Amino acid sequence: MAQIITFARTGGPEVLELQTVSVGEPGPGQVRLQQKAVGLNYADTYFRTGIYPVPLPSGMGVEAAGVVTAVGAGVDNVAVGDRVTYTGFTNTLGAYSSERLISAAPLIRLPDGIDFETAACITMRGLTAAYLLRRIHPFQGHETILLHAAAGGVGLILTQWAKLLGLTVIGTVSTDAKAEVARAHGCDHVINYSHEDVVARVREITGGVGVAVVFDSVGKDTFMASLDCLQRRGLLVCVGTASGKIEPFDPAILGRKGSLFVTRPALADYIADPAEKQALLAELFGHVAAGRIRIDIHKRYALGDAAQAHRDLESRKTVGASVFTI
């Protein structure tokens, strides 16, 4: 019997329920996976609240790592005993579970140097950092970037990777404690937006020029300020909406503020091609295994504590990555 987290209606963390179910045998194209660690991502709250609509009742979570214990007909990319990880969207929904059936297609074999907990912390976050830095903009190694939520799970990976590319990183955080964490992971300049004016500080740091790229995972509350932090012909990368959806705006404003660019990318479109996905994974796993990018786990939760984990996430109590351990 397996423990799983489900929700039958959208709403607050209280809609998450722990259930015990029988998993059964894998069908064609499926595997049975004994999970060892499950990723906790802010995107999980979007499913719970209905921002990302899915048929209900539904499982929760899209990222985990574990061991293949059975394979169905037609599966040839993994075998029983393989250590694997995965991330995705609706095709992997249901990751908050101790054991599950899942399509074999999104499974990624883990190299020996990556443990289960690390894998559950970096498959989505690490691939996100990878495509943001390696596919969105042709960085030349001398640019300055602005990163919101610099002490978050993606932020800490992205900062370390950006430094490997020779970039100057300005990060924003909400507390002095998070500022210390961001600096420890390579942020050159940290702005505490709870008492500092982000736009004014960015202009001061850059000598009035602004930054080449802003990575904004906050959304509604920071959108206009992010535009004002960009240099002429700069790029705003909208990668999340933690504060709410960005309100409609007149595209002419981009011209008035310096012929700016805005994009709202999705991870799925940058790992849809197997070769591109494997290239990003190889670079990510290589950096982590070699210690060039370190992964610090902030907190470990039991599956039964899923509601509290979501409360912590939404109240911005978490720093870096957190996981559910089985």
Side-chain angles (χ1 to χ4, degrees):
M1 301 296 285
Q3 287 189 320
I4 65 170
I5 296 293
T6 65
F7 63 112
R9 68 187 193 281
T10 58
E14 69 280 356
V15 303
L16 300 178
E17 298 181 0
L18 180 67
Q19 297 184 355
T20 301
V21 300
S22 177
V23 173
E25 296 300 316
Q30 290 185 319
V31 307
R32 186 175 66 229
L33 191 61
Q34 182 67 51
Q35 305 208 131
K36 301 297 185 180
V38 177
L40 173 65
N41 295 291
Y42 204 91
D44 299 344
T45 69
Y46 297 163
F47 289 102
R48 195 202 73 228
T49 59
I51 292 176
Y52 292 163
V54 292
L56 299 177
S58 173
M60 172 57 66
V62 296
E63 175 185 36
V67 178
V68 176
T69 58
V71 299
V75 173
D76 57 9
N77 61 317
V78 294
V80 172
D82 280 352
R83 301 169 62 253
V84 298
T85 185
Y86 63 87
T87 189
F89 194 64
T90 55
N91 64 323
T92 60
L93 196 59
Y96 286 19
S97 57
S98 60
E99 188 178 21
R100 69 174 302 189
L101 299 180
I102 186 173
S103 168
L107 298 182
I108 302 160
R109 288 180 178 171
L110 279 175
D112 291 340
I114 308 294
D115 62 53
F116 292 119
E117 290 189 0
T118 298
C121 289
I122 67 171
T123 307
M124 174 177 280
R125 298 176 183 89
L127 277 173
T128 298
Y131 89 79
L132 290 176
L133 285 173
R134 306 300 278 160
R135 297 293 185 270
I136 294 289
H137 180 80
F139 288 111
Q140 301 301 309
H142 55 75
E143 297 94 339
T144 298
I145 65 173
L146 173 64
L147 172 63
H148 290 302
V154 173
L156 295 181
I157 297 173
L158 196 150
T159 295
Q160 294 176 82
W161 205 327
K163 297 310 298 177
L164 295 175
L165 298 177
L167 305 178
T168 298
V169 182
I170 304 172
T172 71
V173 297
S174 59
T175 69
D176 290 340
K178 289 184 177 182
E180 292 181 10
V181 173
R183 288 192 188 93
H185 286 77
C187 260
D188 298 281
H189 308 276
V190 183
I191 302 170
N192 185 335
Y193 62 79
S194 64
H195 59 77
E196 293 182 275
D197 184 306
V198 174
V199 176
R201 285 286 291 122
V202 167
R203 291 294 170 181
E204 178 186 354
I205 292 167
T206 61
V209 174
V211 299
V213 178
V214 176
F215 295 106
D216 189 339
S217 59
V218 179
K220 180 181 178 181
D221 290 352
T222 55
F223 179 72
M224 294 306 299
S226 291
L227 292 179
D228 289 335
C229 288
L230 287 168
Q231 65 189 38
R232 183 177 290 112
R233 293 163 57 183
L235 171 65
L236 170 57
V237 185
C238 302
V239 292
T241 53
S243 66
K245 294 181 179 180
I246 296 167
E247 296 178 353
F249 67 97
D250 180 359
I253 196 173
L254 302 178
R256 293 196 296 270
K257 289 181 177 293
S259 299
L260 307 178
F261 296 86
V262 175
T263 184
R264 204 323 181 178
L267 172 61
D269 294 316
Y270 288 85
I271 60 174
D273 177 80
E276 186 169 27
K277 179 180 180 180
Q278 190 54 48
L280 291 173
L281 283 168
E283 197 167 356
L284 168 65
F285 287 157
H287 285 319
V288 173
R292 292 186 292 269
I293 294 177
R294 75 177 192 270
I295 307 300
D296 300 322
I297 298 176
H298 169 70
K299 192 168 183 178
R300 295 169 175 84
Y301 297 91
L303 278 177
D305 295 329
Q308 185 59 52
H310 277 221
R311 291 187 189 99
D312 292 347
L313 200 60
E314 291 178 305
S315 64
R316 302 183 182 181
K317 291 182 179 179
T318 61
V319 175
S322 296
V323 296
F324 296 99
T325 55
I326 312 299

